[in-house]
Amino acid sequence: MLHVAVVGSGPSGCYTAQSLVQLDPEVRVDVLDRLPCPYGLVRYGVAPDHEKIKSLQNNLRAVLEHERVRFLGGVPVGPGGVPATRLRELYHAVVYCVGAATDRHLGIPGEDLPGSWSATEFVSWYSAHPDSAADGFVIGARSAVVIGVGNVAVDVTRMLARGLAELSPTDMPQAALTALAASQVTEVHMVGRRGPSQARFTTKELRELGALPGTEVVVDPTELALDPAYVDPSGLPAAQRRNVDALRGWAESPAPEPAPHRIRLRFFLRPVELLADSGRVGAVRFERTAPDGRGGVTGTGVFEEIEAQLVLRSVGYRGVPLEGLPFDTASGTVPNLAGRVLREDAVAPGEYVAGWIKRGPTGVIGTNRPCAKETVTSLLEDAPVLVHKDLPDDPLAALRADGIRPVQWAGWQAIERAEAELGASLGRGVVKLPDWESLLMAARSAAS
């Protein structure tokens, strides 16, 4: 019987486990995660007001509750946890689905000023990620600049414009809810260095900005017209054409009535410096760009400053090396052939990758399904050789003997109950526990 470890319980990990049990009637799968909670970015990356997307947890739950799948949370792989070499001793195969754990930097002066953050840090805070040590994002801020025009940029822009009545029904942690409800941010600039036809957000996400209560969306038609594909969108793919149509609707609408919040969508501006004011960020200096005719942009030497006491960069994610695995620093991925890990261009028996660490941070949640299936197909092709390796009778017993105390499914269910009880005590629905101590205390209560 094949016994496989899947490292990571986000969509790519769950889809990998699902493919394994669907394609092999006997395989046993242990899904390991560093966190005591499953679901990865569905729990800690999807915006709290996106309940339909968050409901994907129900599909992932069905995978983790399968009779041949076992969830083992609170199990770090690498330094301070289980070495990759040890996992290879305990399982016939190991599939790493660890995502892209860090954010890209702008590489400009002033980026490290107080008040300048990655969107990842902001999302982790309002999503109650237990590693989030940051707070105070909105304190003292009146104007915010979000650098980037992808869906994450739209998410954080929307969160900054939401009010208490809209955020209270979500599972947002109480401290973040209180802070955002008291926020004095009234203007949010979402800025891209290229044109509207090249923005990475989806039309559905974009249009949500126009549906926010008490919020006006402002788009400068002369700025949009700098993009030749905006002037004539007939040659654009359907998704980009829909984006252009949505932006055109705002640009051509009569000036809206003043509202408590204003979102300005800006294009063809490249950040060149964050400017200080009294020791923290006070403005962002941008250079106007222009299309270069090859899909990119070039600087024009014309500069503009936008006031901002809060700057959130949302310019992409990047994979990080995992101890014991090869890593391609250029792509931020583990070298692989159809999911098989490559060491010095040779296949490493029993080691596989799926998700962003395999292909880079591209696609949407559903993209992970065919990616995982490709990897599982490779693994099962190799299985007749892999299964001959002698293993301990139960990897969980071996992990416990090594001093690891995994949070099993009953522990996760105890966390869910604790979050429901916390929400009820606050007059809200489910409210996430925001720190390691409270999560582990709740999980351990399942064993008492």
Side-chain angles (χ1 to χ4, degrees):
M1 180 192 303
L2 192 67
H3 208 153
V4 178
V6 173
V7 181
S9 65
S12 62
C14 287
Y15 291 146
T16 297
Q18 183 179 52
S19 289
L20 281 164
V21 296
Q22 286 177 343
L23 297 175
D24 185 323
E26 294 187 339
V27 66
R28 300 279 176 171
V29 184
D30 285 348
V31 179
L32 283 60
D33 202 293
R34 183 178 68 86
L35 300 174
C37 309
Y39 311 137
L41 281 179
V42 176
R43 176 174 167 90
Y44 289 119
V46 173
D49 63 337
H50 271 178
E51 294 185 9
K52 185 175 181 180
I53 303 176
K54 289 175 74 68
S55 70
L56 177 62
Q57 291 185 42
N58 296 327
N59 302 70
L60 305 185
R61 171 186 293 274
V63 176
L64 296 175
E65 289 184 333
H66 190 280
E67 61 182 2
R68 288 184 283 123
V69 176
R70 183 167 56 180
F71 174 69
L72 302 178
V75 181
V77 175
V82 183
T85 51
R86 181 60 170 152
L87 281 185
R88 292 200 295 273
E89 294 171 358
L90 299 179
Y91 296 90
H92 292 116
V94 182
V95 187
Y96 294 92
C97 306
V98 294
T102 190
D103 57 274
R104 295 184 181 274
H105 289 255
L106 298 170
I108 61 175
E111 187 172 5
D112 295 328
L113 281 169
S116 168
W117 311 84
S118 72
T120 307
E121 292 171 301
F122 188 58
V123 170
S124 293
W125 170 68
Y126 68 58
S127 298
H129 195 293
D131 286 345
S132 176
D135 59 14
F137 290 91
V138 295
I139 293 175
R142 303 177 304 278
S143 176
V145 166
V146 178
I147 299 172
V149 283
N151 280 346
V152 175
V154 176
D155 280 348
V156 299
T157 295
R158 196 178 63 253
M159 285 295 103
L160 287 168
R162 285 281 195 204
L164 176 63
E166 302 142 67
L167 294 176
S168 186
T170 73
D171 61 6
M172 179 180 288
Q174 188 67 21
L177 175 67
T178 301
L180 288 173
S183 168
Q184 299 300 306
V185 174
T186 58
E187 192 154 57
V188 185
H189 305 257
M190 191 170 76
V191 187
R193 64 185 178 88
R194 297 194 292 179
S197 69
Q198 296 170 307
R200 303 291 293 274
F201 42 61
T202 57
T203 311
K204 180 179 180 296
E205 290 260 359
L206 177 64
R207 286 178 172 154
E208 285 180 355
L209 297 178
L212 293 172
T215 302
E216 61 174 311
V217 178
V218 179
V219 189
D220 183 350
T222 60
E223 198 166 70
L224 298 179
L226 297 172
D227 186 344
Y230 175 83
V231 178
D232 178 13
S234 59
L236 289 174
Q240 280 72 34
R241 196 163 59 247
R242 287 192 295 269
N243 284 344
V244 165
D245 287 343
L247 292 165
R248 191 185 306 279
W250 284 321
E252 295 178 353
S253 296
E257 293 293 322
H261 292 98
R262 181 182 297 109
I263 294 172
R264 295 186 182 273
L265 303 180
R266 305 294 309 275
F267 298 94
F268 291 114
L269 291 173
R270 177 168 58 200
V272 294
E273 186 177 4
L274 271 58
L275 305 175
D277 181 10
S278 302
R280 56 178 294 117
V281 67
V284 185
R285 190 169 194 239
F286 291 93
E287 181 182 17
R288 170 68 65 191
T289 61
D292 63 6
R294 300 184 300 275
V297 292
T298 184
T300 65
V302 177
F303 296 90
E304 174 181 340
E305 292 178 11
I306 299 178
E307 177 192 351
Q309 297 78 36
L310 170 63
V311 176
L312 299 172
R313 67 175 182 275
S314 180
V315 290
Y317 295 93
R318 181 175 175 80
V320 296
L322 189 65
E323 187 178 68
L325 283 183
F327 189 73
D328 179 1
T329 55
S331 64
T333 62
V334 171
N336 70 93
L337 179 64
R340 295 179 175 94
V341 171
L342 297 176
R343 293 180 180 272
E344 298 179 355
D345 297 326
V347 169
E351 294 181 301
Y352 303 86
V353 285
W356 280 1
I357 199 65
K358 170 187 173 184
R359 68 180 191 275
T362 61
V364 294
I365 290 174
T367 312
N368 291 294
R369 192 185 293 272
C371 174
K373 189 172 182 179
E374 179 190 54
T375 295
V376 168
T377 299
S378 295
L379 191 160
L380 294 180
E381 287 174 357
D382 302 340
V385 174
L386 299 174
V387 76
H388 290 299
K389 183 171 73 171
D390 289 331
L391 300 180
D393 291 336
D394 183 4
L396 178 54
L399 288 170
R400 284 176 170 155
D402 291 343
I404 303 294
R405 295 183 62 200
V407 173
Q408 295 188 257
W409 196 248
W412 161 238
Q413 291 175 312
I415 291 173
E416 289 185 303
R417 289 193 297 273
E419 293 185 334
E421 292 166 2
L422 174 60
S425 73
L426 296 167
R428 299 173 58 196
V430 170
V431 173
K432 286 181 183 173
L433 299 173
D435 57 80
W436 280 96
E437 182 180 2
S438 57
L439 287 168
L440 292 176
M441 185 179 301
R444 304 305 181 204
S445 72
S448 58

